[in-house]
Amino acid sequence: MRFLAVLIFGLVAATTAPAEPAPVDPSPVGFRTLDVPGIHAVAWYPTAQPAPVSTVAGNKVFVGVPVVSNATISGTAHPVVLLSHGYSGLWRNQAWLAEKLAHAGFIAVAFNQPGTTFGDMDPNWATDLAERPHQVSRVLDAVLADPQLGPRVDQERISVIGHSLGGSTALLLSGGVFDPPQLVEACGDDTRKLLCTLYRAGGLGEAVAPVTARDPRISAAVLLDMEGIHAFTPDSLAQLAVPVLALVSGVEDPALPLGWEGRTQAARLPAATSRYAEIPGATHFSFMSACQEGAAQLLGEEAFVCEGETAPRPELHAEIARMVLNFLTNGKHLAFALQSP
């Protein structure tokens, strides 16, 4: 059922909900579509324009965020964050985080990733592992070329945040080397781990060549409940070119085992330049938007997309955002001590 749940998540995220009144925020954020050939991309950013306020990224399942569409960006030298969604995800998945980043002065950019986005799924996506990070780099090209946003970017502070499969994308952009035979060996014949099931179904095999996709413009990376650490070569992880923050869900899930994935990240990422934390009460889906009241009933047997947490999702979001912003804004991104599992 978990394999199906990933697809259902994309489905409910893609539905259109009836218009709902948008809350008025005393400091709204701007929102606009970017021109990226073949990729649907959007950006949130600081603005002094107070209206008209509308809601984006909301539907019958997930809560949207208030924005001022096509508002004029305010201020200069804004850091940029690129948000890479998970398998069969959508740009909407981390809208809640994009809004918080924009309120903090960032230009936050989210986008659908062709081949692994809902409605555009390549059954052989895992045979071309460089495509996802290359898509992120193309989106960054578009941000820098954008006549409104580009001149306001601090090009020394460009980060990537990836959820689930997006975490592997973020590590590739940071200098990690993805070695398919290494993951094939680690998975063996396992049929319980969602990661192994997805890569196997996507065509990953020992014949797929190792992949590198370092983008030297990336200065920091955040992994949100990433899946795929066993695929990265130890040498490449030890020599990552940028600091990394790894946040993982604290609620154990047999399909996404904490010891096999999250705590392996803690052991393999370089202690001097990376930080790891488990979020108590969070599930894999806690890193996505908050659920509307009654969403679990609407989802039926897939209700775990909105359930299973031991803390309210808005509270989890506040803590996740605090850690992310501390990491991206304080010192050399090393805002708090490594938490050993």
Side-chain angles (χ1 to χ4, degrees):
M1 298 308 295
R2 280 306 170 106
F3 191 98
L4 177 62
V6 180
L7 299 179
I8 287 182
F9 162 66
L11 175 62
V12 297
T15 58
T16 301
E20 57 183 84
V24 177
D25 194 299
S27 57
V29 299
F31 177 85
R32 62 191 302 263
T33 299
L34 298 174
D35 183 12
V36 188
I39 297 177
H40 179 63
V42 297
W44 292 257
Y45 49 87
T47 184
Q49 186 175 324
V53 178
S54 60
T55 300
V56 298
N59 55 33
K60 294 180 180 179
V61 172
F62 296 108
V63 176
V65 298
V67 300
V68 179
S69 293
N70 299 313
T72 301
I73 187 171
S74 60
T76 59
H78 296 291
V80 170
V81 172
L82 304 159
L83 294 157
S84 175
H85 65 67
Y87 178 83
S88 193
L90 291 163
W91 66 265
R92 301 173 175 88
N93 295 172
Q94 279 75 50
W96 68 271
L97 181 55
E99 181 199 22
K100 292 179 184 297
L101 288 163
H103 277 304
F106 289 76
I107 297 172
V109 182
F111 38 91
N112 291 341
Q113 300 209 236
T116 56
T117 198
F118 181 80
D120 186 358
M121 296 293 294
D122 180 353
N124 298 312
W125 66 273
T127 62
D128 186 5
L129 297 170
E131 177 58 19
R132 272 187 134 252
H134 288 166
Q135 291 168 359
V136 178
S137 293
R138 296 206 302 274
V139 171
L140 178 55
D141 291 340
V143 174
L144 297 177
D146 186 274
Q148 300 298 320
L149 302 183
R152 308 298 184 95
V153 170
D154 180 351
Q155 297 194 30
E156 299 301 314
R157 298 179 63 198
I158 299 174
S159 307
V160 59
I161 298 178
H163 175 233
S164 195
L165 178 61
S168 290
T169 301
L171 268 189
L172 279 164
L173 289 160
S174 302
V177 176
F178 192 109
D179 184 19
Q182 188 171 296
L183 182 58
V184 170
E185 181 179 359
C187 284
D189 297 326
D190 192 296
T191 58
R192 296 177 303 167
K193 297 182 180 69
L194 181 60
L195 167 79
C196 298
T197 301
L198 292 181
Y199 273 101
R200 192 179 294 123
L204 188 77
E206 294 185 352
V208 179
V211 174
T212 61
R214 167 71 179 139
D215 189 325
R217 298 171 295 182
I218 300 298
S219 63
V222 177
L223 319 178
L224 302 179
D225 220 30
M226 171 192 156
E227 299 297 323
I229 192 65
H230 287 270
F232 288 87
T233 64
D235 286 348
S236 71
L237 292 178
Q239 300 173 40
L240 285 176
V242 305
V244 176
L245 169 64
L247 301 179
V248 303
S249 55
V251 174
E252 185 62 77
D253 184 339
L256 306 165
L258 178 58
W260 195 78
E261 182 63 50
R263 291 176 179 169
T264 302
Q265 295 173 30
R268 296 189 182 183
L269 292 171
T273 57
S274 63
R275 296 295 178 261
Y276 170 89
E278 295 168 13
I279 309 299
T283 70
H284 186 68
F285 298 99
S286 299
F287 295 91
M288 302 182 331
S289 295
C291 293
Q292 301 274 17
E293 184 176 354
Q297 290 75 17
L298 181 64
L299 291 172
E301 64 181 14
E302 310 300 336
F304 54 78
V305 170
C306 294
E307 295 181 335
E309 299 150 328
T310 58
R313 193 169 293 188
E315 293 181 10
L316 295 171
H317 283 177
E319 180 63 9
I320 293 165
R322 182 191 68 79
M323 290 185 173
V324 170
L325 286 168
N326 279 348
F327 177 74
L328 295 179
T329 59
N330 293 349
K332 296 183 180 297
H333 308 291
L334 305 181
F336 48 90
L338 177 68
Q339 297 185 16
S340 298

